[in-house]
Structure formats: C-alpha cells, structure tokens
Amino acid sequence: MRYFIPIIVFLTAFLSRSVVADVSIGKDLHDEHCLKCHGTEVYSRKDRFVKNPEGLDKQIKRCQLSVGAQWFDEEAADVADYLNSEYYHFEK
C-alpha cells in the first residue's frame, strides 16, 4: 500500500504531460514546416478558414499532409496550442 501513492503521483504527472501541449515546440514545428507555404498573415485575415478549435485541428492535419510533416499527435497539438495562443485565442 505504501507504494501505491507514489505510483499514482508518477502516473498522473506522466499522463498529464502527454496531454499538455508545449507552445515552444509548436512554434519550432510551425516555423520549420508551415512557413514553407505561407506567412502568418493567413491566421489573422478576415476571411480565414479556421473559425474554432476543431477547425484548427483539421487545418493542421491538412497542412501537415501537404508538407509531408510526420508529426505525432502530441506535436500537432503543440502546433495547435502555439497557433491558438499566438493568433486565434479560442476558448478551450
């Protein structure tokens, strides 16, 4: 029983990290891959395609395929978090 609590604490910390996006990694991935095709003006134009968090996730998947970026789901989430924090400001 005395090992139970440390294991729970470790698993909680480990699993929560896998869900939390990392903005700095997202920015690096964005700058390396996304800026090959377009500048940041697409995120702030009036007729932008992305209108909500779900649309952002879908657009990231489309763009990821277009540039051949083989990101893990966590990396795509990092890019979404970066774009949301920098440009979109959607409620989560």
Side-chain angles (χ1 to χ4, degrees), residues 15-68:
L15 293 175
S16 66
R17 170 57 195 119
S18 66
V19 179
V20 175
D22 187 324
V23 175
S24 64
I25 291 173
K27 180 182 182 339
D28 291 344
L29 290 168
H30 168 271
D31 292 353
E32 180 181 347
H33 297 281
C34 303
L35 295 179
K36 289 179 181 178
C37 296
H38 58 76
T40 59
E41 73 282 347
V42 299
Y43 310 129
S44 57
R45 65 185 183 199
K46 289 184 181 190
D47 63 339
R48 68 183 183 194
F49 297 126
V50 175
K51 309 255 189 245
N52 54 49
E54 296 79 18
L56 178 57
D57 291 339
K58 287 180 184 177
Q59 188 61 42
I60 287 171
K61 285 183 172 65
R62 282 192 290 269
C63 290
Q64 179 183 346
L65 290 172
S66 293
V67 298

